[in-house]
Amino acid sequence: MSKIDILSIRKQFPILHQKVNGKPLVYFDNAATAQKPLSVIVALNTYYTRDNANIHRAAHTLAARSTEMFEDTRKTIQAFINAREVEECIFTKGVTESINLVAQTWGRKFLQAGDEVIITSMEHHSNIVPWQMICEEKGTILKIIPINDAGELLMDEYEKLLSPKTKMVACVWVSNALGTINPVKEIIEKAHAVGAKVLLDGAQACSHLDVDVQVLDCDFLAISSHKLYGPTGVGVLYGKRELLEAMPPYQGGGEMIKEVSFERTTYNDIPYKFEAGTPNIADVIAFKYALDFVNELGKENIRNHENELLHYLVNGLLTLNETNVMSSGVETHKQIKLIGTAKEKVSVQSFIIEGMHHFDVGMMLDARGIAVRTGHHCTQPLMNCLGLDGTVRASFSVYNTKEEIDVLVEAVKSIIKRK
Ligand code: PLP
């Protein structure tokens, strides 16, 4: 049993208490973005009504206050992922920018023609396209780890792909389309054994799983605030100090310099070397409140609650299939097929309904106030591997309830009736 006080949690999310299309909102699109607790919303408001000033540069009180709060978030994220040093945490716009930063700086400096980068079949486009871009520029070869029908990586195939030519393994920790938790510790150990670096896309993992970059020993980890109950437009790139120091800057401008003359510029130390220009100060500051929210609840409690929801949904959907067949002896309803049935999963469930387009299903659910995601989930190559053009995806957060899942299952039941 989970130790979550669901009523008090839901009270902290004002957006949940509304009607959509005349029905109470059921928000099951959390893998796309999580809703924000009041503490985050209030922090944004407070910052702009009381503290707004540009950071790091001025002597005045508001600037000092803003700087302190901004750097406080950096300390909080350092503790959240157990980075050895606070300077190893760089603020970005999100996971997409974090990965582009590594591809464009580390990749440009360290990849050569004939080198190999390995990714998986279940990557989000943001962990495919940046590598394709740099591989094309450098003559580096991109290799892909295949998956089985359940949506699990074929680790034997991964081992076959590894060689001294492998320079980077860039891998999604948790699949946004399938919910699969990849065995990243093993992936990292095997990559390091051939001298390769590892970047983890932590977009989906960080809100559900315990994160300890020192135990994992990953070289880079990309994190997104908006998947973690924080504001959009903020992310973090964690990188090991020696790697970040060896990498050239990403963008040039203010803040990332030590000294500039027309002849020559010297660069700032990490993390500022990678933070050119005025950052997203307010949202970074509010992100701390999202991390506090997660810390106060505890990842284990969150995970237990979400896993209960996942199993409840899976049982509900599978029971619809069974009762359809059993009640009449023949199949009288459209069947539901679950997509993503890995043994190790987070609370994300994709499915399709035979003979129906996922978009139509999404529209019918929306008419009942239920928000799910439909489409390829920015994983077109994965959809191609699965022979699909898209799925319906329900993804749960800590504020979701079994009663909401009942609403979804009832809605699916009425949709699958054969006409
Ligand atoms: N990677 C995965 C697995 C995702 O689910 C997402 C967002 O959906 C991203 C990357 C992109 O993250 P961001 O929106 O922070 O750029």
Side-chain angles (χ1 to χ4, degrees):
M1 276 298 283
S2 72
K3 294 186 192 144
I4 291 291
D5 178 355
I6 194 74
L7 280 181
S8 93
I9 289 173
R10 284 181 73 81
K11 273 194 200 143
Q12 298 178 52
F13 290 83
I15 200 169
L16 299 176
H17 308 284
Q18 62 176 298
K19 287 196 170 168
V20 168
N21 297 322
K23 301 277 176 352
L25 169 65
V26 172
Y27 186 78
F28 285 162
D29 196 16
N30 296 287
T33 198
Q35 299 301 351
K36 321 303 171 200
L38 257 179
S39 57
V40 169
I41 300 166
V42 169
L44 281 170
N45 196 349
T46 308
Y47 176 73
Y48 282 122
T49 47
R50 195 189 62 188
D51 306 313
N52 179 45
N54 211 332
I55 54 169
H56 293 147
R57 276 166 255 178
H60 64 82
T61 302
L62 294 196
R65 212 190 275 159
S66 295
T67 304
E68 197 182 322
M69 291 192 294
F70 183 88
E71 292 301 331
D72 238 25
T73 303
R74 206 189 301 274
K75 287 183 203 144
T76 309
I77 192 76
Q78 177 201 2
F80 193 80
I81 63 173
N82 195 29
R84 188 171 287 119
E85 299 174 73
V86 72
E87 294 84 3
E88 293 177 319
C89 301
I90 295 156
F91 286 117
T92 63
K93 281 195 308 204
V95 162
T96 304
E97 191 178 44
S98 297
I99 297 173
N100 275 279
L101 191 163
V102 177
Q104 289 299 317
T105 62
W106 181 89
R108 182 158 292 140
K109 182 158 177 191
F110 292 106
L111 290 175
Q112 309 289 340
D115 285 346
E116 293 176 358
V117 170
I118 296 179
I119 60 174
T120 79
S121 303
M122 62 177 91
E123 296 308 320
H124 189 280
H125 295 162
S126 61
N127 202 25
I128 301 174
V129 185
W131 297 111
Q132 283 174 330
M133 287 161 67
I134 193 68
C135 284
E136 197 177 331
E137 193 179 312
K138 291 293 199 155
T140 302
I141 298 147
L142 196 60
K143 301 235 159 167
I144 319 292
I145 313 172
I147 53 171
N148 63 19
D149 290 343
E152 294 162 318
L153 291 179
L154 297 178
M155 292 299 281
D156 291 353
E157 298 300 320
Y158 169 52
E159 281 190 53
K160 285 186 212 155
L161 293 178
L162 284 168
S163 80
K165 287 189 199 161
T166 314
K167 292 293 175 295
M168 168 64 76
V169 177
C171 170
V172 70
W173 187 348
V174 167
S175 159
N176 62 310
L178 306 173
T180 310
I181 304 173
N182 286 319
V184 289
K185 181 92 180 106
E186 191 184 339
I187 288 170
I188 293 164
E189 278 165 12
K190 296 209 156 108
H192 284 171
V194 297
K197 306 295 179 216
V198 179
L199 175 144
L200 294 182
D201 171 348
Q204 299 294 335
C206 293
S207 56
H208 308 281
L209 307 180
D210 299 319
V211 184
D212 186 327
V213 291
Q214 293 189 63
V215 169
L216 281 173
D217 198 27
C218 57
D219 299 288
F220 300 102
L221 171 68
I223 300 164
S224 183
S225 148
H226 74 98
K227 315 272 190 197
L228 254 168
Y229 310 96
T232 51
V234 175
V236 175
L237 172 68
Y238 158 81
K240 286 181 180 165
R241 174 181 276 278
E242 63 275 18
L243 292 172
L244 295 175
E245 284 181 339
M247 283 154 53
Y250 179 43
Q251 294 176 326
E255 197 66 31
M256 51 76 72
I257 53 91
K258 268 195 177 130
E259 262 183 76
V260 180
S261 70
F262 285 122
E263 291 70 38
R264 183 168 174 267
T265 292
T266 51
Y267 302 129
N268 210 338
D269 297 326
I270 61 165
Y272 309 115
K273 182 172 87 173
F274 295 105
E275 293 180 357
T278 301
N280 187 351
I281 304 168
D283 292 296
V284 166
I285 288 172
F287 181 32
K288 176 185 181 297
Y289 292 81
L291 295 170
D292 289 347
F293 168 79
V294 173
N295 285 335
E296 274 159 30
L297 286 178
K299 287 267 184 78
E300 197 184 344
N301 292 328
I302 295 175
R303 216 163 35 238
N304 288 343
H305 175 70
E306 292 172 340
N307 286 346
E308 268 185 40
L309 297 179
L310 177 69
H311 292 130
Y312 192 69
L313 172 73
V314 167
N315 283 339
L317 292 178
L318 293 179
T319 307
L320 288 183
N321 277 349
E322 283 165 20
T323 47
N324 295 337
V325 179
M326 276 161 43
S327 57
S328 57
V330 283
E331 279 181 27
T332 56
H333 292 66
K334 298 179 180 85
Q335 293 285 298
I336 301 155
K337 185 169 180 213
L338 301 182
I339 309 294
T341 52
K343 275 189 217 80
E344 299 295 329
K345 277 195 67 167
V346 301
S347 52
V348 169
Q349 189 58 59
S350 271
F351 61 94
I352 50 170
I353 298 176
E354 62 151 340
M356 292 196 72
H357 196 274
H358 46 83
F359 186 73
D360 294 335
V361 177
M363 295 291 285
M364 290 177 195
L365 294 175
D366 181 55
R368 293 161 168 89
I370 305 166
V372 292
R373 180 122 314 219
T374 61
H376 53 62
H377 316 297
C378 294
T379 56
Q380 275 181 337
L382 170 65
M383 293 296 134
N384 288 340
C385 291
L386 299 170
L388 301 170
D389 61 356
T391 71
V392 181
R393 181 188 71 186
S395 50
F396 307 130
S397 266
V398 69
Y399 41 68
N400 289 127
T401 64
K402 287 188 178 169
E403 290 73 24
E404 290 180 307
I405 294 177
D406 289 339
V407 175
L408 173 63
V409 172
E410 270 308 304
V412 171
K413 189 173 173 185
S414 66
I415 290 171
I416 63 175
K417 278 187 192 149
R418 260 191 213 287
K419 299 234 167 60

